Structure formats: C-alpha cells, structure tokens
Amino acid sequence: MSPSLPNVTSKIWPGTGPDDAYLGLVSQGPGRKVATTLGLPAPVELRRHDPARPTVSGPVVVLSPTSGARGPGETAATEADDLATHLLGRGLEVHRHGDDLRKVGAVVLCLTEVRTPSDLTAPALELGSVLRKLAPGGRVITVSRPATGVALGSAANLPASGDSQDYTAVSRNAARQGVVGFLRSAAQEMRGGATANGIVVADGVSVSAPSVAGSLDFLLSGRSAFVDGQFLVVGTDQGPADLAQVPQGEAPLSGRVVVVTGAARGIGEEIARLLHTQGAHVVPVDVPAAGQPLSTLANELETASLSLDVTAEDAGQRILEHCRSRYGRLDGIVHNAGITRDKMLANMDQAKFASVLAVNTEAPLRITEQLLADPMADGLRVVGLASTSGVAGNRGQTNYAASKAGVVGMVAGLAPILAARGGTANAVAPGFIETEMTAKIPLARRQVARRLNSLQQGGLPLDVAEAIAFLLSDSAAGISGQTLRVCGQNLVGA
C-alpha cells in the first residue's frame, strides 16, 4: 500500500447522483409512497463503496441445489462450501440457509453442477424465499459454468467436440444457459438498489480460483453499484496461488503504472482520480487543446501528464518513452479517449464517420500494437471503453456504435495475444452516465434516459472507474476478452 495518498475526491457533476431532483423526491418518505401508489419509478440512492462501512449490510447466505446436503449434488455442495470458506476468510457472516435470519445482506447461489433445466427449480425458489429478507443495496450472485456455443460477454464458447447424440450434454447446456436468463430476469426484480450478477467459471477452473474470489469481492461490494444483470467470465486460474494474496484494502493497484487516455475531463478524469487513490502511478493523456485541465489534474495527482493526440502515428511509442523515462515500467492502459459525431445515416458524411472510427477504435489498436512490440509491456493490462450503443445500437449513432462494437472485438482478439505475455484485455461498456455531456440533454429526455434501466437512475463516472480499476487489478487476472456493462441493466441488448 502506498505510504500516503492525497485526499483526491470524486467529481459529481451538477444535476447528478444525489442532485437528481426526481431521485431525491421519491427515494424516501411521502414522495416514495406517492410514486409507488401511482406506479412511477421509485429509485433509491445506491450503496457505493465507503471504506468506513462493511462490505455488505448483513449476513451472506450461500445456497446450492443441495443446500449443503450430500448426495447426487455432492460436488455442487462442496463448491458452495469453498465459496463460503472464502467469504468467511473475508470476515463476513456466512450461512448455508436463510430460514432463521431476519435480514440478509447478500445471497450467493452456486449452480456449477446443474445437469438438467429442472435442477434450477429448487434453488431458484429457495432464493425467492430469501429475497424477501434482502436488505436495501443487497447483492445476489450466481456462480455457474458456461454453456458451449453460446455468446456471453464478447464471444461464444466453441462447441465441444464429441458424440452428436450426447443428449446428456445437450441437457446440461440448456441448464447452464438457463442460469443466464434466470439471473437477468431476477436482476429486474430487485428492489431498494439491490443488484443481481453472475460469475461464470470455465470448465476445469476451480471456484477457488483467485479471480472467482476477486469477482465475488467486487460484486458484493459497493464498487459494483451500477453493475446489474451482468456476468464476469473467469477463464483461467491465473492469479495469486493463495487466495489471501488477492489484494484487499484501499490500494490494490499500489505501485502500478497505468496510462489513461482522454483523462482531462469527464469519465477519463474520474478514472485517473480513482486509480490514483488505489495506489497507481497514473499517466494522464489528452490532446494539446485540453492542456490546462490536463495540467491541473496532473498537479493534483502529483504526476506528469502527456499531451498527445492518440491518432498520431507514433502515439504508442511516445507513451512508451514517457513511461520508461519516468517509471521504467508500464503495467496497464485505459483506452478512454473517444468522440461522437452523431448524425442519421442518411445525413452522415465521410469525415464524421471516419473520424469517430479513427479515435475510438483505430487509435487503441495502433497504440496497443506499438506497446506490445516492447518487452516493457509484458504483463500489460488493457481496458477499452466500449458502450451499450456498441452492444445494442442507437439511433443516429451508426459511426459511434460501429466504433464501440469494434472495441468489444478488439479486446476479444487481444486476449490470447496478451495471455501469452501474462496480460489481459477487457472492455467496459457504460450505459447512461451522468457527465457534463449528458447534462446538456434536454430535461425530459434526460429523465427518461435515467429511468430506462433496472436501477432506474443514471450512473456516475465513478461507477465506470470502479469497474476499470477492478479489471486492472490482480483480482481479475483470470478474466480476459470480456466486456462488462456498467449500465444498471439498461433495458437494451443482452
């Protein structure tokens, strides 16, 4: 942990978060009662990370198809026990059923050994009974195995070779994919700022793998406040051999050198600030025109900024030179720099379409290629900024959606290349995030956009930054090629 970290606070944009007038009106008291009576959205302020508060607001219940009993589901029960052991090691109060509890802070449902769709019935109903006791801001997390041949995150798992008449495997595949639909629907039923997310553990990877532990920690905590209805796919056992070595505390990125492009304002600024508070040496990068805010940020973070147009042919080489001369290492890069040039396709011109692709997709591709040509990039963690527009499309954003879908494809393609170097590549896809840009949207449209997700409110730049910090950490060493949506389960796309 860094010996001392300046008190660099997060920026809350005017009209966001607690200043969302509607959120403030209906989050409690008479306003909430009126909203409920009229069937209007009734969001509540989300439980975000606070080092002075417990990770969860009550006991954690770990369920499995056998609820701890032995028999046909013996393996599932054992894996549920392993998950419970990890949570106990984190100092949490853990139970294997919730019958005698009045309040529950979180539920972890181990479904790694479901074999038929009917195996989902009993644990689902048991979860339903416990949900009545779930505290505000509670968490539900499923732990399951992947269905083969079905896309989850960014790419499909390749079908396993074998007997085409093996209907046992077909049934198991149906059950495993059933977990996805179950979890995403359950997420839409959460109340009081609670969320439901899943961890998918690749076949052959233990539920005791470091990144399963790290994913549990992240999803249980307030750091995942705006992540809902999503899955983290743990593909390898990569990471610290001892679970106790998975970083905890407030500085899990201590000593790391991380470059953040587009850092002078908005989400990029928040990313830089949070990574700094978590112990990283941050290299903020932005265009020369943003020199003043970039310098101000660099001074606050006590670091040296780099004024750079990411579309420059030598951008990656300049980043390498900067990091080598000041730190002698480079551990991660966040490709946050991006632009929009929105137009209906019928009115789109070549300059608007090409410029968005150049900044949002081609620059990260070129920069990463140049970084990987240098041995200093061994072990590099890459995080790209995608968007829900790149997942589901958005009217008037054909160029932007193409560029952000390109980022999803980029990290999926980079994953095996970086794996050979001990690194990872992932993306974060924000939904409606409260920034200076979204604050300029007309009031009525802004209010509608805020409510179109399961949490019925806009996210904060901090929520995006928290997800990125997790993906840069050792806790996510076994996660690569994935795109994590930070959108409150925006009701578009998968």
Side-chain angles (χ1 to χ4, degrees):
M1 182 174 291
S2 296
S4 63
L5 295 174
N7 183 22
V8 180
T9 58
S10 300
K11 180 177 288 187
I12 305 297
W13 301 108
T16 70
D19 296 325
D20 178 348
Y22 182 82
L23 173 61
L25 178 66
V26 304
S27 61
Q28 57 187 343
R32 185 166 185 81
K33 183 176 181 180
V34 170
T36 302
T37 301
L38 297 178
L40 298 173
V44 300
E45 189 173 343
L46 302 181
R47 175 176 68 85
R48 291 185 167 88
H49 176 68
D50 182 345
R53 294 181 179 179
T55 302
V56 293
S57 52
V60 180
V61 178
V62 179
L63 301 176
S64 66
T66 55
S67 296
R70 295 296 183 259
E74 182 176 358
T75 303
T78 301
E79 290 182 331
D81 291 340
D82 291 340
L83 296 173
T85 298
H86 166 70
L87 297 172
L88 286 168
R90 293 302 196 209
L92 301 175
E93 180 184 345
V94 181
H95 298 257
R96 288 306 309 273
H97 61 79
D99 296 348
D100 300 327
L101 298 173
R102 297 184 62 184
K103 184 178 78 168
V104 172
V107 183
V108 177
L109 184 55
C110 185
L111 298 171
T112 52
E113 285 297 316
V114 293
R115 294 179 175 83
T116 69
S118 61
D119 289 344
L120 297 174
T121 302
L125 295 179
E126 188 172 7
L127 172 62
S129 67
V130 178
L131 284 182
R132 302 184 185 101
K133 306 174 182 180
L134 192 64
R139 299 288 189 262
V140 172
I141 302 171
T142 60
V143 181
S144 61
R145 300 287 182 182
T148 57
V150 181
L152 181 63
S154 59
N157 297 291
L158 294 177
S161 59
D163 186 354
S164 61
Q165 300 300 314
D166 183 4
Y167 280 91
T168 300
V170 173
S171 178
R172 183 181 63 223
N173 223 41
R176 289 179 171 188
Q177 190 62 21
V179 175
V180 176
F182 165 73
L183 184 280
R184 284 179 170 156
S185 295
Q188 295 188 27
E189 297 181 10
M190 298 293 106
R191 294 293 180 266
T195 63
N197 293 287
I199 302 171
V200 177
V201 186
D203 289 315
V205 175
S206 168
V207 298
S208 296
S211 287
V212 177
S215 297
L216 272 175
D217 296 337
F218 172 69
L219 293 175
L220 285 171
S221 75
R223 297 189 186 280
S224 63
F226 205 58
V227 177
D228 198 14
Q230 306 306 312
F231 290 86
L232 287 168
V233 181
V234 179
T236 72
D237 282 310
Q238 186 175 343
D242 184 350
L243 291 183
Q245 295 177 20
V246 176
Q248 288 288 286
E250 297 304 302
L253 299 176
S254 182
R256 304 290 177 85
V257 176
V258 183
V259 173
V260 180
T261 68
R265 57 177 61 86
I267 291 175
E269 178 186 353
E270 189 63 46
I271 294 167
R273 291 177 181 276
L274 181 70
L275 299 185
H276 174 75
T277 64
Q278 291 197 9
H281 300 294
V282 179
V283 178
V285 175
D286 217 313
V287 292
Q292 183 57 54
L294 185 65
S295 296
T296 299
L297 175 65
N299 289 336
E300 289 183 35
L301 304 187
E302 299 180 349
T303 188
S305 62
L306 177 60
S307 185
L308 173 69
D309 182 344
V310 295
T311 64
E313 288 295 328
D314 63 345
Q317 295 163 359
R318 289 182 59 188
I319 288 171
L320 282 167
E321 292 167 4
H322 181 94
C323 293
R324 179 177 285 109
S325 65
R326 285 164 176 78
Y327 302 106
R329 60 186 293 176
L330 173 60
D331 301 292
I333 184 167
V334 181
H335 291 296
N336 168 75
I339 62 172
T340 57
R341 297 290 185 268
D342 296 352
K343 283 286 184 181
M344 297 294 285
L345 184 57
N347 300 320
M348 184 73 67
D349 60 37
Q350 191 273 343
K352 288 185 175 65
F353 206 99
S355 63
V356 170
L357 288 173
V359 175
N360 298 1
T361 316
E362 293 173 354
L365 282 165
R366 184 185 306 109
I367 289 171
T368 304
E369 183 179 15
Q370 291 174 359
L371 297 183
L372 292 177
D374 194 296
M376 194 170 69
D378 286 349
L380 186 70
R381 301 280 169 85
V382 175
V383 181
L385 262 291
S387 168
T388 53
S389 293
V391 175
N394 196 26
R395 179 181 172 87
Q397 286 195 317
T398 50
N399 52 354
Y400 184 74
S403 72
K404 293 303 185 179
V407 172
V408 174
M410 177 187 78
V411 299
L414 280 172
I417 297 172
L418 282 163
R421 305 272 294 272
T424 61
N426 293 287
V428 168
F432 184 90
I433 303 297
E434 306 276 8
T435 64
E436 287 180 307
M437 181 175 69
T438 56
K440 296 176 182 176
I441 297 173
L443 178 61
R445 287 179 57 196
R446 189 164 71 249
Q447 288 291 356
V448 170
R450 282 171 170 158
R451 313 307 162 204
L452 290 179
N453 62 68
S454 294
L455 296 173
Q456 301 180 325
Q457 60 193 282
L460 302 181
L462 174 63
D463 298 319
V464 180
E466 292 279 21
I468 289 170
F470 166 69
L471 292 172
L472 288 168
S473 73
D474 283 344
S475 294
I479 300 171
S480 194
Q482 303 302 311
T483 296
L484 176 62
R485 287 174 53 175
V486 182
C487 63
Q489 200 183 20
N490 195 306
L491 305 181
V492 297

